[in-house]
Amino acid sequence: MSRAQDRSVSLANRLASAASPYLQQHATNPVAWWPWCPEALALARRLDRPILLSIGYSACHWCHVMAHESFADPETAALMNRLFINIKVDREERPDLDKVYQTAHQLLARRPGGWPLTVFLTPDDLVPFFAGTYFPPEPRYGLPSFKQLLVGVELAYREQGRDIREQNRHLLAALASLEPRGGSALPDESLLDSAVEQLALSFDPVYGGFGGAPRFPHSQDLGLLLRRHAQLLSKGRPDPRLLHMARFSLQRMIGSGLFDQIGGGFYRYAVDERWLIPHFEKMLYDNGPLLGLCADLYAITGEAPFREAALATADWVRHEMQSPEGGYYATLDADTEGQEGGLYLWDRAEVRDCLDADAYRVFAAVYGLDRPPNFKGRWHLALARRPEEVAADLGLGIHEVQGLLAAARAKLLAVRARRPRPHCDDKVLTAWNALMIQGMAHAGRLLERFELLDSAERALEFIRRTLWRDGRLIAVWREGVSGPPGYLDDHVNLIAALLEMLQVRWSASDLEWAIALAEVMIAEFQDPERGGFWLTGPLHETLIHHHKPLADESLPAGNGVAAQVLQRLGHLVGEVRYLEAAERTLKLAAESMQRLPEAHASLLIALAEWQEPPEQLVIRAEGDGLGSWQRAAQKGFQPDRLVFAIPADVPNLPGALATIRPGDGPLIYRCRGTRCLPPVASLNELEATGGEIRR
């Protein structure tokens, strides 16, 4: 090997020691990749080379395509190495970098971004002067080839420096202008109605969901609709549309190709309006909220498919996505051995060979194997006909058909288990784990499935043991290697998970942990001047833009969850500072919410709870009676009620909880906001006072 070749290999292997599986996937590229680090940034400044920043994640199909077409190509790599300093970033490890440069892409390209994100930065100030997403190896799709782009961008950097500096100045000003300025008033309840009306306008009455293709689950919107439905129902103003939009949308998702009909779990999104063909990656952050929503809709409707989907999703997570140590893995890849969706696709003959004639006849009719293939000559399974229809056509009982289908799915799952597996990104992300803990605990409580509660407990203990150190939260962990400090999303979602777990079983240490996290949020993430919370804190790197997340994206907006949990925790322990921080957050976001209410479901839920705080029940009792009272008080879908069952012998409760003392027998304390009623000694007495308490 020549000296030049040896140098090229050593440069390319800078990612080999990275903890991120996504970065490791690129460690053998001939591209001289760097991770985002001070050394790479300093080298770019010293050599006066623009930075080619490529952001993606390990389960991303188009990231794999571009890697195969361009980053693995020696000719393209040589061009990249000669003209640029090339930096790879895992967007799941560095959401701060991803958010800044996705926003910059949207401003520069005047269209939404995505992954892979391809951004070219001036080296001295790290401001992007050109941005795009996927670029092909040859001109197509109306795009230049990636090699043409590389040459053109570098030439522009050399010859149009003055214009680029002027553009950078305008871009920085545009980024700064996006940040909310704050306000002095809160929106009223009509804003919730405006959001519902906007969702109704974009609702698809044929296939469910909102907007056109590609079609995403929009779990935050579904949650808002269910909460608003319950709120209006309790006020004697029912609006059946709200439940219908949420129920029908999730019903269609469960029966479609968005849901893994054999192994459980939801894919990230569908490429078509019918939800038939997904992008096949499975993300932990989707499945946690959708698991909870399935349980909610079962609690509301009693319809078995919602319960079955919840349990199938939870079983998939427990068996395939939970590490032996307890934490949940991040993602499953869309591709298997280079084939998109390879694990999940079926040949008709393969299914026929697995099943007997009766089972195949039913299975084929229900899942569309008696129709033309729907994906590259094979079948991706989705409900083509309702089991009840097939049972009637074949003269079979519905229970017989359901039994045949369940047995067939089990056989196909066993066959699928012998296939090559898609890559699993096994890093543990605190925010994503918190969303799954919340979903598992919520579904386990509503469905009375203790294995789900045990799974949530194990994951929570893993975070406490591994990612909470010396009063600081860590955002990422993999194989003993810790990532950056926790972001806003990590803190707020973990508090939400702790509050959900406290409604499953009381833990003084969990409450202390939630309070400690809230104190870190207020001290390090809050904007003391305008209100609201930054995505990053003082322990994070200073970037070209300081962002406050208000609108929901793939994760619920950090400020929306912050306002929710600070209100709930503030009322529980009587901490006025938490309530004030939540109020200032809502005032900061008021203009943004009014401009586009349907994009702010998490903040709107917080606004609804500010206007009318949830009822908080605290039960003090001993023995088995404590659990039975708790289950009775929690029964059904009650988003407006939080129930905490505290054993009578628990001492030294913090704040306002110290006044909630046990009696000679069981007592139930009922509060709403800052107002409380005298304790009662039975659930019947509690219900008798149901309409008397207001904020």
Side-chain angles (χ1 to χ4, degrees):
M1 179 182 291
S2 70
R3 183 174 299 176
Q5 288 173 320
D6 179 71
R7 181 173 181 272
S8 176
V9 170
S10 68
L11 287 172
N13 282 335
R14 282 196 186 92
L15 302 184
S17 61
S20 161
Y22 176 65
L23 298 190
Q24 289 182 359
Q25 288 172 355
H26 293 270
T28 57
N29 291 163
V31 178
W33 288 118
W34 286 83
W36 182 276
C37 61
E39 294 80 6
L41 305 181
L43 180 63
R45 289 192 295 270
R46 186 168 70 250
L47 298 179
D48 188 28
R49 286 191 195 171
I51 293 169
L52 193 167
L53 174 63
S54 177
I55 302 179
Y57 59 100
S58 69
C60 167
H61 171 69
W62 285 103
C63 298
H64 298 326
V65 171
M66 191 166 177
H68 173 73
E69 292 176 342
S70 295
F71 303 149
D73 174 56
E75 185 178 342
T76 304
L79 198 58
M80 293 171 67
N81 295 341
R82 179 166 60 85
L83 300 178
F84 301 96
I85 298 301
N86 303 289
I87 296 179
K88 260 287 173 196
V89 166
D90 183 339
R91 67 107 171 175
E92 296 167 356
E93 284 192 334
R94 292 298 304 267
D96 53 341
L97 284 168
D98 184 56
K99 182 59 185 178
V100 165
Y101 291 112
Q102 290 284 357
T103 305
H105 168 276
Q106 189 158 358
L107 291 171
L108 289 170
R110 300 181 185 277
R111 60 178 180 272
W115 301 278
L117 182 67
T118 307
V119 190
F120 297 89
L121 317 179
T122 48
D124 57 336
D125 57 9
L126 306 181
V127 177
F129 62 94
F130 185 86
T133 52
Y134 164 81
F135 289 96
E138 303 296 336
R140 60 174 182 260
Y141 314 131
L143 297 170
S145 75
F146 189 50
K147 286 183 285 189
Q148 289 173 333
L149 179 74
L150 295 173
V151 172
V153 167
E154 200 275 340
L155 185 64
Y157 177 74
R158 299 295 167 199
E159 296 186 353
Q160 301 175 35
R162 181 177 298 178
D163 292 339
I164 287 174
R165 295 298 169 187
E166 182 66 11
Q167 176 183 278
N168 285 1
R169 186 177 66 82
H170 286 295
L171 179 64
L172 290 175
L175 286 170
S177 72
L178 294 176
E179 287 308 305
R181 301 302 175 188
S184 59
L186 287 172
D188 59 29
E189 189 178 7
S190 65
L191 190 58
L192 295 165
D193 296 324
S194 296
V196 167
E197 293 306 321
Q198 289 300 314
L199 289 173
L201 287 173
S202 65
F203 174 68
D204 185 338
V206 178
Y207 298 111
F210 305 96
R215 184 155 279 176
F216 290 81
H218 289 278
S219 56
Q220 286 85 28
D221 293 336
L222 299 179
L224 174 64
L225 289 171
L226 291 182
R227 286 169 174 266
R228 187 62 174 158
H229 154 73
Q231 184 183 46
L232 293 177
L233 192 64
S234 70
K235 294 182 175 183
R237 297 191 284 121
D239 186 345
R241 298 177 306 159
L242 279 60
L243 177 57
H244 171 71
M245 284 190 284
R247 174 183 170 274
F248 184 65
S249 295
L250 194 55
Q251 188 180 57
R252 292 306 300 253
M253 292 180 215
I254 290 169
S256 74
L258 188 76
F259 188 74
D260 183 351
Q261 302 296 325
I262 300 299
F266 293 85
Y267 305 103
R268 182 164 167 252
Y269 68 93
V271 301
D272 62 291
E273 65 179 5
R274 298 168 56 200
W275 304 99
L276 183 59
I277 301 300
H279 261 306
F280 288 91
E281 61 262 45
K282 288 184 179 179
M283 319 296 288
L284 194 70
Y285 65 70
D286 286 321
N287 281 279
L290 288 168
L291 167 58
L293 285 168
C294 286
D296 282 339
L297 273 158
Y298 176 71
I300 294 169
T301 68
E303 294 171 358
F306 294 118
R307 177 184 175 86
E308 293 163 1
L311 294 177
T313 299
D315 286 347
W316 164 68
V317 172
R318 293 190 306 113
H319 296 147
E320 296 192 33
M321 301 299 287
Q322 189 158 26
S323 71
E325 296 88 356
Y328 297 117
Y329 301 140
T331 62
L332 276 187
D333 207 321
D335 299 354
T336 305
E337 295 188 331
Q339 181 186 8
E340 185 180 5
L343 176 67
Y344 309 106
L345 303 176
W346 295 90
D347 296 316
R348 181 184 284 155
E350 184 182 20
V351 177
R352 185 182 285 116
D353 289 345
C354 293
L355 308 177
D356 62 39
D358 289 340
Y360 177 77
R361 183 174 56 157
V362 169
F363 190 88
V366 170
Y367 287 103
L369 290 171
D370 55 356
R371 303 181 184 192
N374 57 23
F375 189 76
K376 298 181 180 180
R378 305 180 74 190
W379 280 264
H380 174 56
L381 299 179
L383 289 180
R385 299 181 63 196
R386 295 171 59 244
E388 292 83 357
E389 296 175 3
V390 173
D393 285 352
L394 298 179
L396 301 174
I398 183 58
H399 295 298
E400 183 180 1
V401 165
Q402 289 171 336
L404 288 169
L405 291 173
R409 288 192 296 266
K411 289 181 180 179
L412 293 178
L413 184 60
V415 170
R416 205 174 80 176
R418 298 193 289 270
R419 295 177 175 178
R421 305 290 298 165
H423 170 72
C424 176
D425 189 323
D426 59 358
K427 65 177 175 287
V428 176
L429 298 164
T430 299
W432 296 18
N433 268 248
L435 288 169
M436 182 54 70
I437 291 167
Q438 193 176 356
M440 277 283 186
H442 188 70
R445 176 165 62 82
L446 286 180
L447 304 180
E448 298 184 349
R449 296 295 291 257
F450 296 106
E451 68 272 23
L452 276 61
L453 302 176
D454 177 67
S455 173
E457 188 76 73
R458 290 178 58 220
L460 187 64
E461 286 308 307
F462 177 85
I463 294 177
R464 189 197 308 269
R465 185 174 66 249
T466 309
L467 293 160
W468 177 246
R469 299 180 186 171
D470 302 321
R472 299 287 181 179
L473 196 58
I474 298 168
V476 186
W477 179 94
R478 182 174 183 262
E479 295 183 348
V481 178
S482 300
Y487 300 95
L488 175 65
D489 290 344
D490 299 296
H491 289 78
V492 298
N493 285 304
L494 185 53
I495 296 173
L498 288 165
L499 288 173
E500 186 66 46
M501 288 297 292
L502 285 169
Q503 295 185 79
V504 172
R505 83 291 177 269
W506 184 256
S507 166
S509 63
D510 279 1
L511 179 61
E512 292 171 4
W513 192 9
I515 292 170
L517 290 165
E519 292 295 333
V520 172
M521 281 171 53
I522 288 177
E524 300 191 358
F525 292 85
Q526 185 179 208
D527 181 347
E529 295 180 5
R530 293 188 175 129
F533 295 86
W534 307 108
L535 175 63
T536 54
L539 298 181
H540 294 98
E541 178 182 1
T542 300
L543 301 178
I544 63 170
H545 178 56
H546 209 187
H547 175 62
K548 291 179 183 174
L550 298 180
D552 295 318
E553 296 180 352
S554 53
L555 269 64
N559 274 279
V561 183
Q564 291 177 37
V565 298
L566 287 174
Q567 288 178 101
R568 292 183 168 207
L569 189 60
H571 287 308
L572 181 64
V573 300
E575 180 51 75
V576 175
R577 290 182 301 119
Y578 299 170
L579 302 177
E580 290 173 344
E583 182 181 17
R584 295 179 71 230
T585 300
L586 292 170
K587 287 179 178 178
L588 171 86
E591 181 183 350
S592 184
M593 286 191 285
Q594 289 165 336
R595 186 170 59 251
L596 203 64
E598 69 276 17
H600 297 80
S602 298
L603 275 162
L604 288 174
I605 290 171
L607 177 64
E609 293 193 356
W610 177 264
Q611 293 164 344
E612 188 165 349
E615 176 185 71
Q616 291 192 341
L617 302 184
V618 178
I619 305 172
R620 302 300 305 267
E622 297 178 347
D624 295 337
L626 182 65
S628 61
W629 279 36
Q630 181 182 21
R631 288 189 294 275
Q634 290 175 329
K635 199 168 184 63
F637 178 66
Q638 298 190 77
D640 191 41
R641 172 179 282 188
L642 309 178
V643 181
F644 302 99
I646 307 177
D649 60 354
V650 171
N652 304 321
L653 293 173
L657 283 173
T659 65
I660 298 181
R661 301 183 178 90
D664 295 333
L667 289 178
I668 305 175
Y669 291 79
R670 181 169 180 262
C671 300
R672 189 182 291 274
T674 57
R675 297 283 304 280
C676 295
L677 293 175
V680 298
S682 74
L683 291 171
N684 288 336
E685 288 183 70
L686 177 74
E687 296 306 321
T689 63
E692 296 178 11
I693 186 167
R694 288 291 179 269
R695 186 178 181 182

